[in-house]
């Protein structure tokens, strides 16, 4: 219901939903979690598609951290920068060798996140190395949106 509720079409509402989702998942796994996000003064309207797709990318990123990283700490940074919505999810886990492609057993999550970002006209990157943790980075344009 949240995904189609036009009363929840703002960065602030998306931030609250992301923080709540990640906090519940990470605390259940004893992973220390920090979430950095814009304050209400930086709030902006979001279209339902952007809100839904960004949330699904975030959700998949969090689930991947919990399932694959073997980390003790995770950080999310969500910001509005130069007319773009930017999301980073980082963990201090085991990482993986990026030249090896998608890790064995990874399924459709990473390609799905890439496709969602592309559908929004955005950019999506995964930065990782064995023993160095992983960072998922997303940047999508907010063109045509007005500030609240």
């Amino acid at each position: 219901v949240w995904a189609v509720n036009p009363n929840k079409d703002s960065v602030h509402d998306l931030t609250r939903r992301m923080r709540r989702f990640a906090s519940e998942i990470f605390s259940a796994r004893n992973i220390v979690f920090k979430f950095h996000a814009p304050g209400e003064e930086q709030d902006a309207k979001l279209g339902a598609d952007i809100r839904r797709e960004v949330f699904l990318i975030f959700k998949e990123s969090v689930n991947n951290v919990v399932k694959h990283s073997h980390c003790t700490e995770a950080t999310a940074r969500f910001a509005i920068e130069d007319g773009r919505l930017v999301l980073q999810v980082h963990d201090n886990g085991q990482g993986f060798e990026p030249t090896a492609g998608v890790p064995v057993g990874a399924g459709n999550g990473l390609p799905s996140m890439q496709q969602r970002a592309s559908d929004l006209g955005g950019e999506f990157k995964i930065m990782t190395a064995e023993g160095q943790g992983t960072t998922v980075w997303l940047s999508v344009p907010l063109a045509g949106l007005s500030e609240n």
Side-chain angles (χ1 to χ4, degrees):
V1 173
W2 171 86
V4 294
N5 184 344
N7 295 323
K8 302 295 182 181
D9 283 349
S10 73
V11 170
H12 180 68
D13 285 316
L14 177 57
T15 298
R16 285 197 325 227
R17 181 145 172 100
M18 291 165 66
R19 185 187 313 262
R20 185 172 46 245
F21 172 79
S23 293
E24 290 173 5
I25 298 293
F26 288 133
S27 66
R29 302 290 170 135
N30 295 316
I31 296 171
V32 175
F33 176 61
K34 295 178 184 163
F35 190 92
H36 307 280
E40 288 187 48
E41 71 282 353
Q42 276 192 297
D43 204 11
K45 287 284 198 188
L46 292 176
D49 288 343
I50 291 175
R51 184 169 43 100
R52 180 182 57 250
E53 300 302 326
V54 169
F55 182 72
L56 290 173
I57 291 169
F58 177 76
K59 187 176 175 182
E60 182 69 27
S61 298
V62 168
N63 285 327
N64 284 346
V65 168
V66 169
K67 284 198 248 178
H68 305 295
S69 75
H70 303 285
C71 73
T72 58
E73 297 178 6
T75 303
R77 187 178 80 78
F78 190 50
I80 298 172
E81 298 174 355
D82 299 323
R84 298 181 74 82
L85 196 57
V86 177
L87 171 66
Q88 285 181 276
V89 178
H90 174 75
D91 67 68
N92 70 344
Q94 67 185 5
F96 58 93
E97 183 57 47
T99 58
V102 176
V104 174
N108 294 320
L110 296 178
S112 174
M113 289 190 288
Q114 178 69 53
Q115 185 62 51
R116 290 178 191 282
S118 179
D119 290 348
L120 293 173
E123 300 173 62
F124 178 81
K125 297 178 189 173
I126 297 176
M127 295 154 281
T128 186
E130 282 190 44
Q132 302 296 313
T134 301
T135 300
V136 170
W137 179 86
L138 170 71
S139 175
V140 296
L142 294 178
L145 296 178
S146 59
E147 296 291 318
N148 280 341

mmCIF file of all heavy atoms in Angstrom, residues 61 65 69 75-77 87-93 95-96 110 113 124-129 132-138:
data_model
loop_
_atom_site.group_PDB
_atom_site.id
_atom_site.type_symbol
_atom_site.label_atom_id
_atom_site.label_comp_id
_atom_site.label_asym_id
_atom_site.label_seq_id
_atom_site.Cartn_x
_atom_site.Cartn_y
_atom_site.Cartn_z
ATOM 1 N N SER A 61 19.769 -4.361 -1.451
ATOM 2 C CA SER A 61 21.123 -4.117 -0.937
ATOM 3 C C SER A 61 21.243 -4.566 0.513
ATOM 4 O O SER A 61 22.213 -5.230 0.897
ATOM 5 C CB SER A 61 21.473 -2.630 -1.038
ATOM 6 O OG SER A 61 21.469 -2.202 -2.376
ATOM 7 N N VAL A 65 23.552 -7.607 2.076
ATOM 8 C CA VAL A 65 24.501 -7.418 3.177
ATOM 9 C C VAL A 65 24.290 -8.510 4.221
ATOM 10 O O VAL A 65 25.233 -9.167 4.663
ATOM 11 C CB VAL A 65 24.350 -6.012 3.817
ATOM 12 C CG1 VAL A 65 25.112 -5.926 5.128
ATOM 13 C CG2 VAL A 65 24.811 -4.932 2.853
ATOM 14 N N SER A 69 27.508 -10.843 3.283
ATOM 15 C CA SER A 69 28.715 -10.082 3.623
ATOM 16 C C SER A 69 29.489 -10.599 4.831
ATOM 17 O O SER A 69 30.684 -10.384 4.923
ATOM 18 C CB SER A 69 28.362 -8.614 3.859
ATOM 19 O OG SER A 69 27.730 -8.444 5.120
ATOM 20 N N THR A 75 26.505 0.777 6.830
ATOM 21 C CA THR A 75 26.167 2.200 6.799
ATOM 22 C C THR A 75 25.385 2.482 5.522
ATOM 23 O O THR A 75 25.719 1.969 4.464
ATOM 24 C CB THR A 75 27.451 3.065 6.785
ATOM 25 O OG1 THR A 75 28.234 2.735 7.921
ATOM 26 C CG2 THR A 75 27.108 4.547 6.822
ATOM 27 N N ALA A 76 24.363 3.311 5.656
ATOM 28 C CA ALA A 76 23.636 3.790 4.481
ATOM 29 C C ALA A 76 23.734 5.309 4.474
ATOM 30 O O ALA A 76 23.646 5.951 5.518
ATOM 31 C CB ALA A 76 22.178 3.356 4.526
ATOM 32 N N ARG A 77 23.962 5.851 3.293
ATOM 33 C CA ARG A 77 23.965 7.310 3.107
ATOM 34 C C ARG A 77 22.999 7.611 1.984
ATOM 35 O O ARG A 77 23.109 7.067 0.891
ATOM 36 C CB ARG A 77 25.361 7.812 2.746
ATOM 37 C CG ARG A 77 25.440 9.336 2.720
ATOM 38 C CD ARG A 77 26.843 9.816 2.413
ATOM 39 N NE ARG A 77 27.158 9.770 1.004
ATOM 40 C CZ ARG A 77 26.749 10.666 0.099
ATOM 41 N NH1 ARG A 77 25.985 11.661 0.455
ATOM 42 N NH2 ARG A 77 27.104 10.551 -1.161
ATOM 43 N N LEU A 87 22.260 7.211 -3.215
ATOM 44 C CA LEU A 87 22.190 6.208 -2.167
ATOM 45 C C LEU A 87 23.472 5.400 -2.166
ATOM 46 O O LEU A 87 23.930 4.968 -3.230
ATOM 47 C CB LEU A 87 20.992 5.282 -2.414
ATOM 48 C CG LEU A 87 20.886 4.034 -1.529
ATOM 49 C CD1 LEU A 87 20.627 4.423 -0.081
ATOM 50 C CD2 LEU A 87 19.791 3.121 -2.056
ATOM 51 N N GLN A 88 24.039 5.207 -0.978
ATOM 52 C CA GLN A 88 25.180 4.306 -0.814
ATOM 53 C C GLN A 88 24.869 3.384 0.346
ATOM 54 O O GLN A 88 24.415 3.836 1.400
ATOM 55 C CB GLN A 88 26.453 5.069 -0.471
ATOM 56 C CG GLN A 88 27.072 5.793 -1.626
ATOM 57 C CD GLN A 88 28.338 6.489 -1.187
ATOM 58 O OE1 GLN A 88 28.267 7.595 -0.673
ATOM 59 N NE2 GLN A 88 29.467 5.852 -1.388
ATOM 60 N N VAL A 89 25.111 2.102 0.160
ATOM 61 C CA VAL A 89 25.008 1.125 1.242
ATOM 62 C C VAL A 89 26.364 0.433 1.300
ATOM 63 O O VAL A 89 26.819 -0.140 0.310
ATOM 64 C CB VAL A 89 23.875 0.103 0.991
ATOM 65 C CG1 VAL A 89 23.837 -0.926 2.111
ATOM 66 C CG2 VAL A 89 22.532 0.811 0.859
ATOM 67 N N HIS A 90 26.998 0.517 2.471
ATOM 68 C CA HIS A 90 28.351 -0.031 2.630
ATOM 69 C C HIS A 90 28.368 -1.002 3.810
ATOM 70 O O HIS A 90 27.707 -0.779 4.822
ATOM 71 C CB HIS A 90 29.354 1.090 2.888
ATOM 72 C CG HIS A 90 30.724 0.580 3.194
ATOM 73 N ND1 HIS A 90 31.559 0.067 2.226
ATOM 74 C CD2 HIS A 90 31.387 0.468 4.364
ATOM 75 C CE1 HIS A 90 32.684 -0.324 2.795
ATOM 76 N NE2 HIS A 90 32.604 -0.097 4.097
ATOM 77 N N ASP A 91 29.150 -2.069 3.667
ATOM 78 C CA ASP A 91 29.365 -2.990 4.783
ATOM 79 C C ASP A 91 30.858 -3.235 4.965
ATOM 80 O O ASP A 91 31.644 -2.993 4.053
ATOM 81 C CB ASP A 91 28.621 -4.315 4.554
ATOM 82 C CG ASP A 91 29.169 -5.117 3.391
ATOM 83 O OD1 ASP A 91 30.310 -5.621 3.485
ATOM 84 O OD2 ASP A 91 28.454 -5.245 2.378
ATOM 85 N N ASN A 92 31.240 -3.682 6.143
ATOM 86 C CA ASN A 92 32.641 -3.985 6.425
ATOM 87 C C ASN A 92 32.912 -5.484 6.337
ATOM 88 O O ASN A 92 33.814 -6.004 6.978
ATOM 89 C CB ASN A 92 33.050 -3.450 7.804
ATOM 90 C CG ASN A 92 32.415 -4.223 8.960
ATOM 91 O OD1 ASN A 92 31.446 -4.964 8.774
ATOM 92 N ND2 ASN A 92 32.939 -4.037 10.157
ATOM 93 N N GLY A 93 32.151 -6.166 5.501
ATOM 94 C CA GLY A 93 32.235 -7.618 5.403
ATOM 95 C C GLY A 93 33.337 -8.129 4.502
ATOM 96 O O GLY A 93 34.321 -7.441 4.211
ATOM 97 N N GLY A 95 33.396 -8.886 1.294
ATOM 98 C CA GLY A 95 33.518 -8.467 -0.106
ATOM 99 C C GLY A 95 33.605 -9.665 -1.025
ATOM 100 O O GLY A 95 33.412 -10.809 -0.624
ATOM 101 N N PHE A 96 33.879 -9.385 -2.273
ATOM 102 C CA PHE A 96 34.089 -10.463 -3.247
ATOM 103 C C PHE A 96 34.958 -9.910 -4.360
ATOM 104 O O PHE A 96 35.146 -8.709 -4.487
ATOM 105 C CB PHE A 96 32.767 -11.048 -3.769
ATOM 106 C CG PHE A 96 31.844 -10.053 -4.437
ATOM 107 C CD1 PHE A 96 31.880 -9.843 -5.810
ATOM 108 C CD2 PHE A 96 30.914 -9.339 -3.686
ATOM 109 C CE1 PHE A 96 31.022 -8.940 -6.419
ATOM 110 C CE2 PHE A 96 30.044 -8.443 -4.291
ATOM 111 C CZ PHE A 96 30.103 -8.236 -5.659
ATOM 112 N N LEU A 110 21.414 -8.549 -8.172
ATOM 113 C CA LEU A 110 22.298 -7.514 -8.718
ATOM 114 C C LEU A 110 21.858 -7.078 -10.113
ATOM 115 O O LEU A 110 21.769 -5.867 -10.368
ATOM 116 C CB LEU A 110 23.757 -7.983 -8.712
ATOM 117 C CG LEU A 110 24.352 -8.246 -7.329
ATOM 118 C CD1 LEU A 110 25.788 -8.756 -7.454
ATOM 119 C CD2 LEU A 110 24.288 -7.023 -6.451
ATOM 120 N N MET A 113 18.785 -4.853 -9.711
ATOM 121 C CA MET A 113 19.090 -3.503 -9.216
ATOM 122 C C MET A 113 19.642 -2.647 -10.352
ATOM 123 O O MET A 113 19.272 -1.477 -10.494
ATOM 124 C CB MET A 113 20.074 -3.555 -8.048
ATOM 125 C CG MET A 113 19.456 -4.101 -6.784
ATOM 126 S SD MET A 113 20.501 -3.903 -5.314
ATOM 127 C CE MET A 113 21.782 -5.084 -5.619
ATOM 128 N N PHE A 124 24.317 2.933 -11.468
ATOM 129 C CA PHE A 124 24.409 1.939 -10.408
ATOM 130 C C PHE A 124 25.792 1.315 -10.460
ATOM 131 O O PHE A 124 26.242 0.920 -11.532
ATOM 132 C CB PHE A 124 23.331 0.866 -10.608
ATOM 133 C CG PHE A 124 23.375 -0.229 -9.596
ATOM 134 C CD1 PHE A 124 22.805 -0.052 -8.344
ATOM 135 C CD2 PHE A 124 23.968 -1.441 -9.898
ATOM 136 C CE1 PHE A 124 22.829 -1.068 -7.402
ATOM 137 C CE2 PHE A 124 24.006 -2.463 -8.968
ATOM 138 C CZ PHE A 124 23.430 -2.280 -7.715
ATOM 139 N N LYS A 125 26.459 1.251 -9.311
ATOM 140 C CA LYS A 125 27.796 0.650 -9.246
ATOM 141 C C LYS A 125 27.916 -0.194 -7.998
ATOM 142 O O LYS A 125 27.325 0.114 -6.963
ATOM 143 C CB LYS A 125 28.885 1.726 -9.183
ATOM 144 C CG LYS A 125 28.967 2.615 -10.381
ATOM 145 C CD LYS A 125 30.045 3.665 -10.170
ATOM 146 C CE LYS A 125 29.993 4.720 -11.264
ATOM 147 N NZ LYS A 125 30.904 5.826 -10.982
ATOM 148 N N ILE A 126 28.746 -1.220 -8.106
ATOM 149 C CA ILE A 126 29.124 -2.012 -6.946
ATOM 150 C C ILE A 126 30.629 -1.936 -6.837
ATOM 151 O O ILE A 126 31.348 -2.260 -7.784
ATOM 152 C CB ILE A 126 28.668 -3.475 -7.080
ATOM 153 C CG1 ILE A 126 27.146 -3.526 -7.137
ATOM 154 C CG2 ILE A 126 29.203 -4.306 -5.913
ATOM 155 C CD1 ILE A 126 26.585 -4.896 -7.372
ATOM 156 N N MET A 127 31.102 -1.476 -5.681
ATOM 157 C CA MET A 127 32.537 -1.383 -5.428
ATOM 158 C C MET A 127 32.869 -2.371 -4.314
ATOM 159 O O MET A 127 32.291 -2.305 -3.232
ATOM 160 C CB MET A 127 32.904 0.043 -5.024
ATOM 161 C CG MET A 127 32.648 1.016 -6.173
ATOM 162 S SD MET A 127 32.329 2.710 -5.656
ATOM 163 C CE MET A 127 30.632 2.636 -5.138
ATOM 164 N N THR A 128 33.765 -3.303 -4.613
ATOM 165 C CA THR A 128 34.076 -4.355 -3.659
ATOM 166 C C THR A 128 35.443 -4.953 -3.948
ATOM 167 O O THR A 128 35.976 -4.804 -5.051
ATOM 168 C CB THR A 128 32.992 -5.464 -3.701
ATOM 169 O OG1 THR A 128 33.248 -6.407 -2.661
ATOM 170 C CG2 THR A 128 32.937 -6.143 -5.050
ATOM 171 N N ALA A 129 35.973 -5.603 -2.975
ATOM 172 C CA ALA A 129 37.195 -6.389 -3.108
ATOM 173 C C ALA A 129 37.195 -7.400 -1.968
ATOM 174 O O ALA A 129 36.665 -7.118 -0.887
ATOM 175 C CB ALA A 129 38.437 -5.507 -3.035
ATOM 176 N N GLN A 132 37.473 -6.500 1.826
ATOM 177 C CA GLN A 132 37.352 -5.045 1.950
ATOM 178 C C GLN A 132 35.914 -4.557 2.077
ATOM 179 O O GLN A 132 35.662 -3.363 2.018
ATOM 180 C CB GLN A 132 37.989 -4.362 0.734
ATOM 181 C CG GLN A 132 39.437 -4.700 0.542
ATOM 182 C CD GLN A 132 40.287 -4.204 1.705
ATOM 183 O OE1 GLN A 132 40.161 -3.069 2.139
ATOM 184 N NE2 GLN A 132 41.125 -5.084 2.225
ATOM 185 N N GLY A 133 34.954 -5.439 2.164
ATOM 186 C CA GLY A 133 33.564 -5.022 2.231
ATOM 187 C C GLY A 133 33.036 -4.665 0.853
ATOM 188 O O GLY A 133 33.714 -4.816 -0.162
ATOM 189 N N THR A 134 31.810 -4.186 0.831
ATOM 190 C CA THR A 134 31.141 -3.865 -0.423
ATOM 191 C C THR A 134 30.366 -2.566 -0.265
ATOM 192 O O THR A 134 29.785 -2.307 0.787
ATOM 193 C CB THR A 134 30.169 -5.001 -0.818
ATOM 194 O OG1 THR A 134 30.921 -6.209 -0.949
ATOM 195 C CG2 THR A 134 29.439 -4.703 -2.110
ATOM 196 N N THR A 135 30.357 -1.764 -1.321
ATOM 197 C CA THR A 135 29.542 -0.554 -1.366
ATOM 198 C C THR A 135 28.671 -0.617 -2.615
ATOM 199 O O THR A 135 29.166 -0.835 -3.711
ATOM 200 C CB THR A 135 30.406 0.723 -1.424
ATOM 201 O OG1 THR A 135 31.236 0.777 -0.254
ATOM 202 C CG2 THR A 135 29.539 1.974 -1.492
ATOM 203 N N VAL A 136 27.383 -0.438 -2.416
ATOM 204 C CA VAL A 136 26.427 -0.301 -3.518
ATOM 205 C C VAL A 136 26.149 1.185 -3.642
ATOM 206 O O VAL A 136 25.872 1.862 -2.641
ATOM 207 C CB VAL A 136 25.128 -1.082 -3.217
ATOM 208 C CG1 VAL A 136 24.046 -0.751 -4.231
ATOM 209 C CG2 VAL A 136 25.403 -2.579 -3.185
ATOM 210 N N TRP A 137 26.252 1.716 -4.857
ATOM 211 C CA TRP A 137 26.076 3.149 -5.100
ATOM 212 C C TRP A 137 25.035 3.337 -6.194
ATOM 213 O O TRP A 137 25.090 2.691 -7.230
ATOM 214 C CB TRP A 137 27.409 3.769 -5.514
ATOM 215 C CG TRP A 137 27.350 5.222 -5.819
ATOM 216 C CD1 TRP A 137 27.452 6.248 -4.926
ATOM 217 C CD2 TRP A 137 27.200 5.835 -7.100
ATOM 218 N NE1 TRP A 137 27.370 7.458 -5.581
ATOM 219 C CE2 TRP A 137 27.212 7.231 -6.914
ATOM 220 C CE3 TRP A 137 27.047 5.325 -8.391
ATOM 221 C CZ2 TRP A 137 27.083 8.127 -7.972
ATOM 222 C CZ3 TRP A 137 26.911 6.222 -9.449
ATOM 223 C CH2 TRP A 137 26.935 7.609 -9.228
ATOM 224 N N LEU A 138 24.077 4.221 -5.917
ATOM 225 C CA LEU A 138 23.005 4.521 -6.853
ATOM 226 C C LEU A 138 22.850 6.031 -6.946
ATOM 227 O O LEU A 138 22.902 6.733 -5.935
ATOM 228 C CB LEU A 138 21.683 3.922 -6.347
ATOM 229 C CG LEU A 138 20.409 4.338 -7.079
ATOM 230 C CD1 LEU A 138 20.361 3.703 -8.469
ATOM 231 C CD2 LEU A 138 19.183 3.953 -6.270
#
